[in-house]
Amino acid sequence: MNFMFSIPSTVFFGSGAAKSAGEKARAMGAKKVFLVCDKGVRAAGLVDGVLAGLQEAPAEVLVFDEVEPNPLDTTIERAAGLAREFGPDIIVAVGGGSSMDAGKAVNILLTNPSPINQYAGLGMVKNPTKTLICVPTTAGTASEVTDFTIITDTKTVKKMVIGGPFVGPTIALVDPEMTVNLPPAITASTGLDALTHAIEAYVSTNAMIPTDCMALKAIELISANIVEATRNGGNLAAREAIDARQPDGRVRL
């Protein structure tokens, strides 16, 4: 019965949550914001509301939209170089797992020296990082609530896992409205990703009472709503049910 249960992020869940990024930045006195995303998310207009809110804060925003799937260490180094020169007060990452992982890695390199490769493993990041706000645009990865980032090492051509207390986001803005225009195939695949996380948590040999409770609720919510969310992407209630879960079966509270 001995266990520890925690997540790194304070989660704000609900329709319109993404638009509060500017409000959060203003509350923290941020004057400069480095925003990380990919070109697809930006082209889809999903960054627009977040960016407008930040600019109204008001804050000067530099956007880096060159994140690729399974972000490369070379991309992280390039983005971190731009961020260091810009000197942001906070980092905002908008997108799927790759964009949020990239935002975490860039944040590491703002207060810890390059290269990012030296931090592979657990507890290797020694210096506290800056405030990081993550805004997910899919239900699957839940990188917005984990203290891990996965970056591709271009020399070994392998993914490296970087984890520890200074890796995770500070705030997660989880907004079901960010997922209503996802294509059905992506809705289905990311929903199944979320369902798999919940099942894995429940059958894990490291399961504990809090994760069992939340894993079972996540399984119930996702299984009851994934078909409707896939067939009718505009059904916000179905979207909310699928988005209201976290990895390891944890339900966003």
Side-chain angles (χ1 to χ4, degrees):
M1 294 294 290
N2 295 330
F3 59 81
M4 181 188 74
F5 181 79
S6 68
I7 60 174
S9 316
T10 298
V11 179
F12 295 87
F13 180 91
S15 296
K19 298 175 183 177
S20 70
E23 173 190 327
K24 301 295 186 292
R26 181 170 59 251
M28 291 180 283
K31 300 300 182 184
K32 288 187 173 185
V33 178
F34 190 74
L35 192 152
V36 179
C37 63
D38 63 57
K39 293 187 183 299
V41 166
R42 193 174 189 184
L46 293 173
V47 177
D48 294 347
V50 177
L51 185 58
L54 291 170
Q55 292 172 334
E56 290 173 5
E60 181 182 355
V61 184
L62 178 61
V63 178
F64 181 86
D65 63 0
E66 300 176 30
V67 177
E68 65 274 272
N70 303 310
L72 305 177
D73 54 1
T74 51
T75 301
I76 300 304
E77 296 294 342
R78 184 168 71 255
L82 294 172
R84 290 191 199 101
E85 184 177 346
F86 179 61
D89 302 301
I90 66 174
I91 306 291
V92 174
V94 182
S98 292
S99 292
M100 292 187 284
D101 279 356
K104 293 177 183 178
V106 170
N107 196 28
I108 289 170
L109 294 184
L110 283 177
T111 55
N112 295 269
S114 288
I116 191 67
N117 312 64
Q118 67 183 301
Y119 304 111
L122 300 178
M124 301 301 291
V125 179
K126 302 302 181 184
N127 297 328
T129 46
K130 291 179 177 288
T131 295
L132 171 63
I133 299 176
C134 282
V135 185
T137 58
T138 70
T141 70
S143 179
E144 73 275 9
V145 289
T146 65
D147 49 10
F148 294 90
T149 180
I150 300 176
I151 304 299
T152 301
D153 188 320
T154 53
K155 292 183 179 178
T156 62
V157 198
K158 294 181 180 179
K159 292 183 179 182
M160 56 183 173
V161 177
I162 301 170
F166 301 135
V167 178
T170 313
I171 293 173
L173 303 179
V174 186
D175 188 343
E177 292 182 8
M178 298 291 278
T179 68
V180 294
N181 292 319
L182 279 177
I186 298 179
T187 297
S189 62
T190 56
L192 287 172
D193 189 9
L195 179 61
T196 301
H197 283 152
I199 294 171
E200 286 176 336
Y202 188 68
V203 302
S204 171
T205 56
N206 290 322
M208 55 184 114
I209 290 175
T211 59
D212 278 351
C213 294
M214 295 186 178
L216 288 172
K217 187 62 178 181
I219 292 168
E220 175 189 332
L221 287 171
I222 297 167
S223 61
N225 290 276
I226 188 170
V227 173
E228 173 61 18
T230 300
R231 290 176 174 171
N232 181 11
N235 187 328
L236 197 58
R239 291 287 187 184
E240 287 177 340
I242 294 176
D243 291 340
R245 45 66 55 199
Q246 295 176 357
D248 305 325
R250 293 176 293 195
V251 177
R252 295 187 179 102
L253 302 177

